[in-house]
Amino acid sequence: MAWQIVGALIASGAIFALVPGAWVATPPRDVAALCLLGVVVMVAHILVNRAFKHAEAAVVMPYQYSLLIWAIVLGAVLSRIPRAR
């Protein structure tokens, strides 16, 4: 995971170097949403790790794969919500 973050930093640094003035300040509402997302994702990862500790992988993996279905459904639903500008 650390290398993924390092790669993202390098890629974003290269983009900012190639396109000066591309940075736009993030609105406070979006920063709050990103912070909430970070907390939810961290808790989700902890719970998945605990599930693998307490159950067989064959039991836990179907729930992991259902994540793909949930991502598609929630993405479709949330993409229809109008955004405040």
Side-chain angles (χ1 to χ4, degrees):
M1 190 173 245
W3 286 111
Q4 183 179 6
I5 293 170
V6 169
L9 286 172
I10 292 171
S12 61
I15 290 171
F16 291 140
L18 294 173
V19 185
W23 173 260
V24 177
T26 307
R29 181 178 175 193
D30 291 349
V31 171
L34 287 171
C35 290
L36 179 63
L37 176 67
V39 170
V40 169
V41 168
M42 179 187 69
V43 170
H45 281 295
I46 291 170
L47 292 175
V48 167
N49 285 335
R50 298 285 296 173
F52 278 114
K53 181 178 180 182
H54 293 291
E56 296 286 328
V59 174
V60 178
M61 283 313 292
Y63 294 106
Q64 277 291 104
Y65 289 130
S66 74
L67 178 79
L68 298 170
I69 296 168
W70 282 110
I72 292 168
V73 170
L74 289 175
V77 169
L78 295 177
S79 68
R80 298 191 191 296
I81 296 174
R83 290 183 47 141
R85 295 183 197 254

